Amino acid sequence: MKLRWTINGAPGELDLDPRVTVLDALRDHLGLNGTKKGCDHGQCGACTVLIDGRRVNACLTLAVMHDGAEITTIEGLGTPEAPAPLQREFVRCDGFQCGYCTPGQIMSATGMLAELRDGSPSHVTDSLTAEPEMTDAEIAERMSGNLCRCSAYPFIREAIEAAVGEERE
Amino acid sequence: MRPFDYTRPDSLDAATDALDAPGARIIAGGTNLLDLMKLQVMAPETLVDINRLPGLDRIEAEAGGLRIGALVRNADLAADPRVRHAYPVLSRALLAGASGQIRNKATTGGNLLQRTRCPYFYDPAMACNKREPGAGCAAEGGVTRMLAILGTSPACRAAHPSDMAVALRALDAEVEVHAPDGTLRRIGLDDLYRLPGDTPEVETTLAPGEIITAVHLPAPDAGAVQAYRKIRDRASYAFALVSVAAVVAVEDGRITRAALAFGGLAPRPWRDGRAEALLIGKAPSEALFAEVAEAVLDGAVTDAGNDFKLAMTRRALAAVLAETTGLAPASTGTDKVEVPA
């Protein structure tokens, strides 16, 4: 089936079997290997990308369902010369060990911070009717869809907090 | 994944026609269906993608309550200001389920129709009457930690996994169903979900070609306190061992209204009117809450792998009732209903 995507700002066309997930389309058909395949069942978050600005598991959705969509992957967030604040802070804070989950962590954090800016509550938000604050507990809860088997969680949370601070400056 | 045809209708009528194809299934968020298709637990021959049907992605005020379109994403429903103020138990239940990524994709209708996470249903190498009628049930003598203890049958002990549906059950929500002849009907959740009996493969009362188009919430209960409490094996992103949704009102020291729904315990969100009735007109007390828990758990069928759910349910219910009646201070997850004047 033919479909059109805008990937990291560039429009393009694809012709795919309906079984191809967004994840497999990115990795196997477009050569964008930054997005990682971990569990392939939505449990680990390594495949997280933004579709039309929202974070989703690329493994749990079909490419053909997203004709016309705008997709942002880790390759579209920044470059080695000009990294996005989250990318820079993950390096500075050592927010990883093996690095396999890192693109998913960073894409998830990008979507998560947008949700926080929109005032969306979480499971640990005390008041549903007040603006949520960005605490360590809030970050941990909101990032629970991203596993890190090296367990770099404290530094991942630190990197996310630092990136927010950087954006505010 | 087995090969399938894919179609994306742009109207309800076209979707209904597409569902006529043999082995046709609706796909909305797809977060559960695609998972099951990868495991070949489900193998639809045609996927009918309803994501672009017009008008199903809105939350609208109606008759004092809300109409939630079937395609409203779980994240959007949880964050809707009207839901956060007037139906906080629904926000809390949604936020207790899945992950941020899944909630951005999963829909209201799909959440209701998600399949059980019984490990034997998920593993095609194991016997499962739900997956393959008559095959037997590998849960007998197996690992039953996540399985149901109420409403089960010898054929099936699978629990319904939804958090959202537990809150909707406590809120007396109704499901709007579009029939192939174009008519709409509205049914309560107990009329949507069947208990397993001898046919655990038939999970709902939906007829072929019927499509869930919305969920209706009645007008909010302005004087009530609502709570959702979920107990699970890790702090986040896990299915419930036990969960409780409560809508409770107290006037002049007496409980005047009480709706209690339970997750993790049964093949559908579990509600017991006889147990709720024990609370009405009484002053809240720990002894009363224990009496209610015993009524809820009357008839429970447990084994050594899940009999912990009895004590867990008693404690969860006691905590939720203490907080919603004011016997204990409210913690995160217990909220007053706030209705704009």
Side-chain angles (χ1 to χ4, degrees), chain B residues 320-341:
Chain B
V320 161
L321 285 174
E323 291 191 18
T324 51
T325 58
L327 220 56
S331 62
T332 303
T334 300
D335 308 273
K336 283 199 178 101
V337 174
E338 293 178 18
V339 183

Side-chain angles (χ1 to χ4, degrees), chain B residues 191-202:
Chain B
D191 295 320
L192 172 68
Y193 296 118
R194 289 181 68 263
L195 292 177
D198 295 330
T199 53
E201 73 279 13
V202 187

Side-chain angles (χ1 to χ4, degrees), chain B:
Chain B
M1 243 187 275
R2 301 258 176 84
F4 55 83
D5 292 326
Y6 172 85
T7 177
R8 192 169 57 223
D10 52 14
S11 72
L12 261 177
D13 287 344
T16 301
D17 290 345
L19 286 170
D20 246 356
R25 278 253 168 199
I26 291 172
I27 188 163
T31 53
N32 185 214
L33 179 58
L34 289 170
D35 189 20
L36 290 164
M37 286 170 66
K38 289 180 184 194
L39 297 166
Q40 300 199 2
V41 172
M42 294 178 74
E45 292 167 62
T46 295
L47 281 188
V48 181
D49 178 354
I50 62 167
N51 280 291
R52 302 197 193 186
L53 295 190
L56 297 188
D57 60 350
R58 294 199 292 264
I59 305 172
E60 295 161 309
E62 59 158 26
L66 286 181
R67 178 183 187 273
I68 303 158
L71 291 176
V72 173
R73 309 288 150 173
N74 287 179
D76 295 332
L77 184 55
D80 186 276
R82 293 162 291 186
V83 176
R84 283 153 70 178
H85 281 85
Y87 308 94
V89 67
L90 179 54
S91 282
R92 293 291 186 189
L94 284 158
L95 294 170
S99 67
Q101 290 97 316
I102 301 261
R103 290 192 296 271
N104 277 341
K105 209 88 192 78
T107 63
T108 306
N111 186 310
L112 288 172
L113 295 180
Q114 66 180 304
R115 312 296 302 274
T116 183
R117 291 332 192 266
C118 173
Y120 303 105
F121 174 72
Y122 252 72
D123 183 352
M126 307 298 282
C128 173
N129 287 319
K130 188 186 280 297
R131 186 166 22 79
E132 192 185 336
C137 174
E140 292 300 325
V143 178
T144 59
R145 184 171 180 80
M146 298 304 296
L147 303 191
I149 62 171
L150 291 165
T152 59
S153 74
C156 186
R157 304 158 65 183
H160 197 272
S162 172
D163 292 292
M164 181 194 81
V166 178
L168 290 179
R169 185 68 192 90
L171 290 167
D172 287 317
E174 288 188 331
V175 178
E176 179 188 290
V177 179
H178 177 270
D181 66 5
T183 56
L184 292 177
R185 64 191 175 102
R186 279 165 66 155
I187 52 174
L189 260 53
D190 274 3
D191 295 320
L192 172 68
Y193 296 118
R194 289 181 68 263
L195 292 177
D198 295 330
T199 53
E201 73 279 13
V202 187
E203 294 173 353
T204 71
T205 58
L206 297 180
E210 287 193 319
I211 302 172
I212 292 179
T213 44
V215 169
H216 295 265
L217 294 180
D221 185 344
V225 178
Q226 301 186 350
Y228 191 72
R229 180 71 56 94
K230 177 178 182 179
I231 300 149
R232 44 186 159 173
D233 276 328
R234 59 186 188 191
S236 185
Y237 200 16
F239 290 97
L241 295 164
V242 172
S243 72
V244 186
V247 180
V248 177
V250 178
E251 287 163 27
D252 301 326
R254 306 272 161 182
I255 299 167
T256 52
R257 296 184 295 286
L260 305 170
F262 297 84
L265 295 185
R268 66 183 181 201
W270 195 255
R271 217 171 137 176
D272 187 328
R274 290 170 315 152
E276 290 171 9
L278 295 172
L279 289 163
I280 304 305
K282 310 257 179 63
S285 73
E286 286 182 16
L288 177 63
F289 303 159
E291 190 190 341
V292 173
E294 290 321 304
V296 170
L297 294 168
D298 185 31
V301 178
T302 60
D303 65 23
N306 58 27
D307 57 2
F308 70 90
K309 288 192 176 189
L310 299 172
M312 192 176 271
T313 303
R314 288 183 197 112
R315 292 193 195 117
L317 181 62
V320 161
L321 285 174
E323 291 191 18
T324 51
T325 58
L327 220 56
S331 62
T332 303
T334 300
D335 308 273
K336 283 199 178 101
V337 174
E338 293 178 18
V339 183

Side-chain angles (χ1 to χ4, degrees), chain A residues 7-22:
Chain A
I7 300 177
N8 298 327
E13 277 190 35
L14 284 158
D15 191 1
L16 297 172
D17 185 286
R19 285 175 290 180
V20 176
T21 60
V22 170

